[in-house]
Amino acid sequence: MGERPMQKESWGRSSASLGVTAAVRKLLWASFMCSIVLVLQNLAQPATADPVLASSVGFCKPVRLEATQEEKDRSVQCCLPAPRRTPKRFQLPRVHHLRVRRPAHELANDVEYVNKYNLAYERMNALPADDPRSFLRQWHTHCSFCKEAYLQRRLNNSATGYPLQLHYSWTFLPWHRMLIYFHEKILGSLIDDPDFTLPFWNWDNQLDATAGQIPQIFLPYQQSTRWPRQHGRHGKIRNTFLYEGKRRNPNHMPPKVLPLTFDASLEKERANWTHDQIRHANLGQVYEMVYNKVSAREYMGGPYDTSSNFTEAVNVTVGESGGSESLHNTAHEWVGMLNNTAYPDNEDMGVFTYAGRDPIFYSHHANVDRLWNVWKALPDKITPDGHRVRRDYDDYDFLETEFTFYDENADMVIVKVKDTLDSRKLGYTYQPMVDADSLWINHKPNGTKPSYKRSDVRVSTSNAIARRPTSFKLTRRAPTAADLRGTQALNVNQLSEGVVLEHVRVPELMYVRFDVFLDSPAATAETDEDESAYVGTFTHLPSGVTTVTDLGQKMVHVEDDDMYRTLNIRFSTSLALKRLGVTDWNTDITVTVVPRFRPHGYGWNIKALTFDCLRQEFT
Ligand code: C2O
């Protein structure tokens, strides 16, 4: 505790020394910045439940797809064809046996599987553009729903007038689950194999060095690698569709392993990281972004916002990503063609608009989907109670939310979120990866505690995340019964403590990444993300398209200049506080935000992201 002089001497006081007036003052301070926001939020809460109907029927705003000349000529928007028949309600399949999705790195030499997988894609790609099962339309399904092409509707079919967006909220996991569910079904039907399963890119696996590499399946097979020379029934591996013409970062090919703490601005500095360093950082990252999230809100993201008071012209989404989504963004960023002037948006994977054009996208999401299952089965061991059960939201708004997809018969189906929550009921499961999972589940962050001099501390009073690390003051208090409202905790000791940056305004075209540390005002971009004080990372992937007017020279952005997302960003603090020895509820702390923005991307000239307030919250 010798390292915490600032708390003692300035605004942080231990509970024992708090007089009644001091306590009152403290409470008033805590409510100062955020109270107005909270009141407004409560007023804005709809009186009745408001599940969303996420449908591709009806008005569709064209989304520009023209980063390159090639696309400009070929395609102008990603709206989906209208259904040919009346949409029907999704029925859970009759499950005789579970289809098992297997890890991509274990399938590289399975000639029969790789050839089938590739053939399915070749056939999907050959379907005409008006067929919703075609690869083009599969990509467009993701593009249109991630780029606000459609309008939100209520279940009674009335439009809210706001754009529809399936990221940045609790819809992220169930919507992507069903996206790849139908994608997989379509692939299977095209090769007459109803048991076909997508492979999952098992990037969290640090046990097998090949698991975190771009899987061999998505790369050209070379004589020099482990190319199997089988000349049996199925012959040699043919995987042309799975890699040819895919836009991926040539510097991130095997044996490079996806660093889950990937920071484009530190790529040179970290180029010499040993495999062990990456491995350790990766375990730490999955531990923080999956294990450390106990509540549905922390892991799955916030409720879908249908009631925000925003101006459509300048604001595209209001939302809150969970740990799952933030973690998954890094793989997108790393696979895309970063810093290539011909592909200024980090195509394909690095921008939502194009991500679905790379087959690795669906395999990446299979792992995101797998981790959702793993997360639900994790023990709590984090809240003071220690026995909270991790589970999906059970709010009516969540369960009744509906999505539309095209199935393997090219028919539109309407799926309710409540039917998506158990993958076994959908007929599939994952090959267990118990040993690899347990590495990050049992990870221990480095024991190093931050040390700093009081004179180093500059607590910012403006609500801005600047280009340099910035520290903020967080006023803390104990949870009360009122904090239980809207959570799934059974008592206050089951609440997970967190810090929320509320209403951060993020330009929709900007890649944003920042790390958050507690009580580490001296943290810099070089600070190890695996030290005790680290509480996680926020990542935002762009979903627009930058227009290149002068290829190879200058990137000029001409559209959607003022579009930004308003996001709440939450970090779970219980474990880090424990590690730092903060055991009482009244010790105030500093929150240090370390930005890691993409150096040459859109928004690099933006001096700071502003937000409304920073506060403690229990979920
Ligand atoms: Cu819809 Cu990985 O994104």
Side-chain angles (χ1 to χ4, degrees):
M1 294 299 285
E3 293 137 13
R4 306 175 46 83
M6 180 188 60
Q7 276 69 20
K8 283 239 163 65
E9 287 163 32
S10 56
W11 35 262
R13 281 144 293 186
S14 74
S15 49
S17 67
L18 274 176
V20 175
T21 37
V24 169
R25 227 183 299 134
K26 186 179 166 89
L27 273 176
L28 284 176
W29 201 98
S31 53
F32 176 65
M33 288 308 287
C34 305
S35 56
I36 297 167
V37 178
L38 278 175
V39 166
L40 287 177
Q41 267 184 338
N42 283 332
L43 285 178
Q45 289 285 319
T48 52
D50 204 9
V52 174
L53 167 61
S55 162
S56 64
V57 176
F59 173 78
C60 180
K61 176 190 83 181
V63 171
R64 282 161 57 119
L65 301 175
E66 54 175 43
T68 65
Q69 192 59 38
E70 182 196 337
E71 257 84 50
K72 199 181 236 165
D73 298 340
R74 212 176 50 191
S75 176
V76 286
Q77 39 105 337
C78 53
C79 297
L80 299 173
R84 290 171 310 184
R85 287 185 279 266
T86 317
K88 50 182 193 193
R89 296 231 157 245
F90 178 68
Q91 301 284 336
L92 282 172
R94 293 175 66 168
V95 181
H96 307 291
H97 60 275
L98 291 173
R99 292 179 293 121
V100 182
R101 290 186 183 159
R102 292 181 291 159
H105 65 280
E106 288 183 14
L107 288 165
N109 293 329
D110 185 332
V111 184
E112 182 178 358
Y113 177 79
V114 180
N115 286 349
K116 255 176 28 177
Y117 185 28
N118 196 65
L119 180 65
Y121 268 126
E122 277 174 5
R123 292 186 175 161
M124 183 181 257
N125 199 43
L127 292 173
D130 62 354
D131 189 327
R133 302 169 306 159
S134 62
F135 188 71
L136 180 81
R137 297 308 185 178
Q138 292 290 297
W139 155 34
H140 286 175
T141 306
H142 187 256
C143 165
S144 56
F145 282 104
C146 74
K147 192 55 187 87
E148 286 102 352
Y150 297 105
L151 286 179
Q152 284 176 24
R153 313 190 74 82
R154 298 202 173 83
L155 283 195
N156 66 12
N157 221 4
S158 67
T160 65
Y162 298 137
L164 178 67
Q165 167 58 261
L166 280 311
H167 302 82
Y168 316 107
S169 81
W170 64 18
T171 56
F172 171 74
L173 284 170
W175 186 80
H176 286 81
R177 165 166 286 181
M178 297 317 286
L179 175 75
I180 63 170
Y181 172 86
F182 288 112
H183 186 73
E184 182 178 77
K185 285 277 186 193
I186 296 167
L187 288 171
S189 79
L190 291 172
I191 49 171
D192 293 318
D193 180 0
D195 285 338
F196 174 80
T197 51
L198 286 167
F200 60 90
W201 178 18
N202 193 198
W203 37 256
D204 59 297
N205 178 343
Q206 307 302 313
L207 206 56
D208 184 328
T210 62
Q213 300 171 357
I214 292 196
Q216 182 64 58
I217 284 186
F218 300 105
L219 296 168
Y221 277 76
Q222 280 155 10
Q223 211 84 34
S224 56
T225 61
R226 301 184 298 159
W227 189 35
R229 284 174 223 205
Q230 285 139 345
H231 297 279
R233 193 158 57 94
H234 304 287
K236 290 182 181 176
I237 281 179
R238 288 177 51 250
N239 69 329
T240 35
F241 187 76
L242 293 169
Y243 77 87
E244 239 170 39
K246 304 301 176 280
R247 295 158 181 88
R248 300 182 191 136
N249 194 326
N251 300 322
H252 294 165
M253 293 299 144
K256 293 259 174 69
V257 166
L258 163 63
L260 293 166
T261 56
F262 178 63
D263 176 349
S265 63
L266 281 185
E267 188 155 27
K268 280 212 184 76
E269 287 81 342
R270 291 182 171 185
N272 301 326
W273 268 22
T274 62
H275 184 69
D276 252 18
Q277 271 173 301
I278 297 176
R279 193 172 166 270
H280 188 79
N282 285 358
L283 290 175
Q285 192 64 15
V286 187
Y287 175 81
E288 293 297 344
M289 304 304 282
V290 182
Y291 181 80
N292 192 18
K293 314 285 182 188
V294 186
S295 61
R297 183 146 193 163
E298 291 167 300
Y299 189 64
M300 305 175 74
Y304 192 97
D305 195 316
T306 52
S307 56
S308 326
N309 175 21
F310 64 82
T311 324
E312 213 180 318
V314 293
N315 199 332
V316 289
T317 312
V318 180
E320 176 182 324
S321 306
S324 166
E325 187 176 343
S326 257
L327 175 65
H328 118 286
N329 284 344
T330 307
H332 276 279
E333 174 74 356
W334 188 74
V335 176
M337 271 213 184
L338 197 62
N339 299 338
N340 182 322
T341 42
Y343 300 102
D345 297 303
N346 198 9
E347 290 94 338
D348 286 331
M349 278 284 276
V351 56
F352 283 145
T353 321
Y354 285 95
R357 194 166 60 172
D358 188 335
I360 203 174
F361 167 83
Y362 306 89
S363 183
H364 170 43
H365 271 277
N367 198 44
V368 174
D369 191 68
R370 184 189 77 87
L371 287 172
W372 180 16
N373 284 1
V374 174
W375 172 78
K376 277 189 262 190
L378 293 174
D380 166 358
K381 292 193 186 160
I382 288 175
T383 68
D385 174 279
H387 297 95
R388 177 164 172 177
V389 177
R390 303 188 190 217
R391 42 196 195 105
D392 297 318
Y393 280 101
D394 51 11
D395 301 52
Y396 175 86
D397 297 21
F398 176 69
L399 300 173
E400 295 297 321
T401 283
E402 293 178 352
F403 309 134
T404 64
F405 287 99
Y406 283 101
D407 69 5
E408 64 273 29
N409 304 312
D411 283 329
M412 182 177 273
V413 286
I414 306 163
V415 189
K416 280 199 186 284
V417 163
K418 65 181 174 199
D419 285 335
T420 72
L421 303 178
D422 185 345
S423 75
R424 295 176 157 259
K425 290 197 180 143
L426 292 168
Y428 73 90
T429 184
Y430 289 93
Q431 176 178 318
M433 305 301 291
V434 179
D435 294 340
D437 292 346
S438 65
L439 280 187
W440 56 259
I441 293 170
N442 299 312
H443 177 75
K444 298 272 171 294
N446 283 337
T448 45
K449 289 193 183 162
S451 63
Y452 54 87
K453 294 198 217 85
R454 187 171 190 278
S455 55
D456 289 341
V457 183
R458 303 225 193 309
V459 182
S460 173
T461 47
S462 71
N463 289 345
I465 298 164
R467 299 284 305 280
R468 293 168 182 282
T470 316
S471 297
F472 304 94
K473 172 186 167 183
L474 175 68
T475 307
R476 293 174 65 243
R477 61 169 177 80
T480 67
D483 294 309
L484 288 168
R485 207 165 63 109
T487 75
Q488 293 172 313
L490 302 177
N491 58 64
V492 289
N493 286 325
Q494 286 196 346
L495 286 166
S496 180
E497 184 179 356
V499 53
V500 182
L501 290 159
E502 194 154 83
H503 294 174
V504 185
R505 285 168 280 276
V506 177
E508 70 152 346
L509 282 166
M510 188 175 174
Y511 177 77
V512 174
R513 182 179 185 103
F514 55 79
D515 289 345
V516 171
F517 296 86
L518 301 184
D519 264 357
S520 310
T524 66
E526 278 78 31
T527 304
D528 184 355
E529 288 100 335
D530 195 40
E531 72 161 57
S532 298
Y534 173 69
V535 289
T537 293
F538 166 75
T539 48
H540 171 267
L541 217 61
S543 60
V545 169
T546 312
T547 303
V548 187
T549 53
D550 188 0
L551 267 182
Q553 288 293 315
K554 217 167 129 200
M555 292 182 231
V556 182
H557 175 251
V558 295
E559 198 200 26
D560 297 350
D561 249 352
D562 45 3
M563 300 286 260
Y564 60 86
R565 306 186 187 291
T566 302
L567 302 177
N568 293 340
I569 304 176
R570 179 181 306 273
F571 297 92
S572 312
T573 51
S574 303
L575 275 184
L577 288 168
K578 228 186 261 177
R579 292 195 292 265
L580 296 174
V582 179
T583 49
D584 69 292
W585 290 112
N586 291 302
T587 301
D588 297 338
I589 50 174
T590 51
V591 174
T592 301
V593 177
V594 177
R596 301 179 182 280
F597 302 159
R598 185 196 286 168
H600 307 293
Y602 174 74
W604 182 237
N605 52 346
I606 288 173
K607 292 214 172 60
L609 304 178
T610 57
F611 59 92
D612 284 351
C613 76
L614 177 141
R615 63 189 165 81
Q616 178 202 36
E617 194 178 272
F618 298 92
T619 57

